[in-house]
Amino acid sequence: MSSLTELSGGPALRQERRVVTEIPGPLSRELLARKQAAVANGVGTVLPVFVRRAGGAIVEDVDGNALIDFGSGIAVTSVGNSAEAVVRRATEQLTRFTHTCAMVTPYEGYVEVCEELARVTPGDHPKKSALFNSGAEAVENAVKIARYAAKRQAVVVFEHGYHGRTNLTMALTAKNMPYKQGFGPFAPEIYRVPVAYPYRWLTGPENCAEEAAAQAIDLISKDIGPENVAAILIEPLQGEGGFIEPAKGFLPRMAGFAKEHGIVFIADEIQSGFCRTGQWFASEDEGLVPDLITTAKGIAGGLPLAAVTGRAELMDAAHTGGLGGTYGGNPVACAAALGAIETMRELDLPARARRIEEIMKPRLHALAERFGLIGEVRGRGAMLAIELVRPGTKEPAPQATAAVAAACHRAGLLVLTTGTYGNVMRFLPPLVIGEDLLNEGLDILEGALAEQ
């Protein structure tokens, strides 16, 4: 049996790509057969390589292949897998206690995380937080808080938005397959309006922000009535919908409309938060100060934790006992979050994200010049994407997208696809990735595009 040292990951793991078998290899295929026999078919797998250890920007599988990670567990391991401060703080907490339930007998870690969230989220107003387990839970509770505080029921969401897989968050999510198909009926009083999607706006990107905002506001005014709207909920940089960056001016216009009508403006920063876009939060790009902000994914370096943070008077609106959950703000997850935030500060990960953009975007634009398959390059920081289309058109090319991703996987680069039309490749490398691995990954992407 291998020693503990040989099996350890984290920052000490050698940061180099290594392909020693076909991907997936024989041991991964054996484990996949076991998964298929024991795990529900509804739990999908992007790439069936079974992980033995991971660290930095490398994921090593049970066959000994070491893959470059351009996915970060969907923007979760932004500080790198098994980051030192995350492991240290979580281990220390494990030796003290694993659970008491914060609603029964609280502990300092929960309070510390809420204090940190008040410091790092946008705005200098008094803030409070409540902690949960997942992004969907955070969104559900943000809606609960908004409805309770506003004494209204309607919630406005946007085309291409993604907010989770629970019953309420499925209703909030735009994309039907695979997230909603067959799972209805869904929660009522959810209304969807246009988003400013520059690449696909019919009258051109220069008109996108103003026209989309006007359409959205007109629909809210005519079909719902602003006086009935509890919340406007949006991702400042849409994730599952295709890494759509709303045209500049659209978000401030919607936030201003919300403020004018006493509507709670909620920013879903579950994928875009915690340094991912080159700022602590994507809302900061246009100076947005949301009333409520939902976070998860990158908050705790891989441990399950989520939060709703917002204006103190809104967060205090619900009656005592109205918010919470058995595992919400688990002490080990809180310790990990404090370690992740410590790492973000010490390594200045917003600056790292901006450096990743400086390296990746010019190369992606060069690939777009070479390959007609790439319709657009977009995103910010280390949340970047290419939208793939049939050359010479804007017709989505989901089959080609899947083929490019598969070619990357075979060569040892872990990439993810996304988008309402299944035609977007998203790039979410750990913010601690070395520039050599970043460029090697882009070389692999170039080769994969050349195969098509």
Side-chain angles (χ1 to χ4, degrees), residues 297-312:
K297 291 190 182 292
I299 192 174
L303 274 73
L305 189 68
V308 181
T309 302
R311 298 185 183 279

Side-chain angles (χ1 to χ4, degrees), residues 158-163 173-175 179 195 197 200 235 237-245 271 378 383 385-387 417-426:
F158 294 82
E159 293 175 347
H160 307 289
Y162 177 84
H163 301 288
T173 289
K175 189 175 180 179
Y179 305 115
V195 74
Y197 187 170
R200 294 194 173 275
E235 302 157 276
L237 202 165
Q238 290 184 311
E240 196 66 24
F243 280 31
I244 299 163
E245 185 176 5
Q271 189 163 170
R378 58 176 177 255
M383 189 172 177
I386 52 175
E387 179 161 356
T417 60
T418 190
T420 299
Y421 310 108
N423 69 319
V424 176
M425 296 191 68
R426 56 177 160 179

Side-chain angles (χ1 to χ4, degrees), residues 152 154 219-229 263:
R152 306 171 182 177
L219 285 169
I220 295 168
S221 300
K222 290 189 312 185
D223 295 0
I224 317 166
E227 68 276 9
N228 297 314
V229 178
I263 299 168

Side-chain angles (χ1 to χ4, degrees), residues 60-135:
E60 183 183 291
D61 71 13
V62 291
D63 290 289
N65 299 298
L67 285 70
I68 301 172
D69 184 6
F70 270 20
S72 300
I74 317 184
V76 169
T77 55
S78 297
V79 295
N81 225 302
S82 293
E84 185 277 329
V86 172
V87 173
R88 168 171 46 82
R89 285 181 178 253
T91 301
E92 290 171 357
Q93 180 58 52
L94 277 166
T95 63
R96 291 195 291 269
F97 59 92
T98 57
H99 177 74
T100 67
C101 184
M103 300 181 301
V104 178
T105 50
Y107 33 87
E108 186 179 8
Y110 190 115
V111 176
E112 286 184 288
V113 170
C114 293
E115 289 171 340
E116 287 286 14
L117 287 167
R119 291 186 190 102
V120 300
T121 51
D124 56 7
H125 52 278
K127 302 173 200 167
K128 290 190 176 183
S129 296
L131 304 183
F132 305 98
N133 300 296
S134 69

Side-chain angles (χ1 to χ4, degrees), residues 293-360:
I293 185 167
T294 61
T295 53
K297 291 190 182 292
I299 192 174
L303 274 73
L305 189 68
V308 181
T309 302
R311 298 185 183 279
E313 67 273 17
L314 289 175
M315 295 299 297
D316 282 342
H319 53 275
T320 300
L323 305 176
T326 302
Y327 294 105
N330 170 269
V332 181
C334 285
L338 294 170
I341 293 170
E342 174 188 327
T343 303
M344 293 170 196
R345 284 202 180 98
E346 287 189 354
L347 299 182
D348 192 2
L349 291 191
R352 291 277 194 105
R354 294 191 295 272
R355 177 58 182 160
I356 288 169
E357 179 181 352
E358 287 175 1
I359 294 170
M360 290 192 72

Side-chain angles (χ1 to χ4, degrees), residues 337-406:
L338 294 170
I341 293 170
E342 174 188 327
T343 303
M344 293 170 196
R345 284 202 180 98
E346 287 189 354
L347 299 182
D348 192 2
L349 291 191
R352 291 277 194 105
R354 294 191 295 272
R355 177 58 182 160
I356 288 169
E357 179 181 352
E358 287 175 1
I359 294 170
M360 290 192 72
K361 258 201 172 170
R363 290 203 58 183
L364 293 174
H365 280 296
L367 293 176
E369 290 290 323
R370 179 179 170 192
F371 299 105
L373 192 60
I374 299 176
E376 185 180 47
V377 176
R378 58 176 177 255
R380 298 199 304 273
M383 189 172 177
L384 302 173
I386 52 175
E387 179 161 356
L388 275 56
V389 295
R390 190 164 62 84
T393 76
K394 289 189 177 182
E395 181 183 333
Q399 292 82 13
T401 306
V404 172

